């Protein structure tokens, strides 16, 4: 079974860790898209104004979607 992890799941440490652990145990396969990663990055930067410019740039950078 393929499960799409949305930005809200990836943002929450508990949800992300649980989902990725279950995927590592072959309970299901996971994927996400470029728009999901962009939303996640936007929220990380918006919610963490204390990030220095290098950290902000790293979180704002486009990443290759998985799958």
């Amino acid at each position: 079974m393929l499960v799409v992890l949305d930005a809200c799941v990836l943002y929450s440490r508990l949800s992300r860790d649980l989902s990725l652990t279950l995927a590592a145990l072959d309970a299901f396969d996971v994927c996400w898209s470029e728009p999901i990663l962009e939303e996640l990055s936007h929220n990380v930067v918006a919610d963490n104004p204390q990030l220095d410019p290098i950290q902000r740039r790293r979180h704002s950078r486009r990443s290759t979607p998985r799958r």
Side-chain angles (χ1 to χ4, degrees):
M1 172 175 36
L2 182 62
V3 175
V4 177
L5 301 183
D6 196 3
C8 60
V9 173
L10 293 171
Y11 189 87
S12 165
R13 183 182 315 150
L14 180 61
S15 296
R16 179 183 60 244
D17 289 351
L18 177 61
S19 298
L20 295 178
T21 297
L22 290 171
L25 294 172
D26 294 325
F28 46 76
D29 294 318
V30 295
C31 69
W32 47 81
S33 66
E34 185 65 30
I36 290 171
L37 291 179
E38 289 173 5
E39 179 182 351
L40 174 62
S41 294
H42 171 79
N43 291 336
V44 167
V45 170
D47 293 346
N48 295 283
Q50 76 280 6
L51 291 176
D52 66 48
I54 293 172
Q55 290 173 315
R56 292 176 74 87
R57 190 168 45 250
R58 184 177 70 211
H59 284 287
S60 296
R61 184 171 42 184
R62 296 178 69 97
S63 302
T64 304
R66 185 172 172 181
R67 260 200 176 226

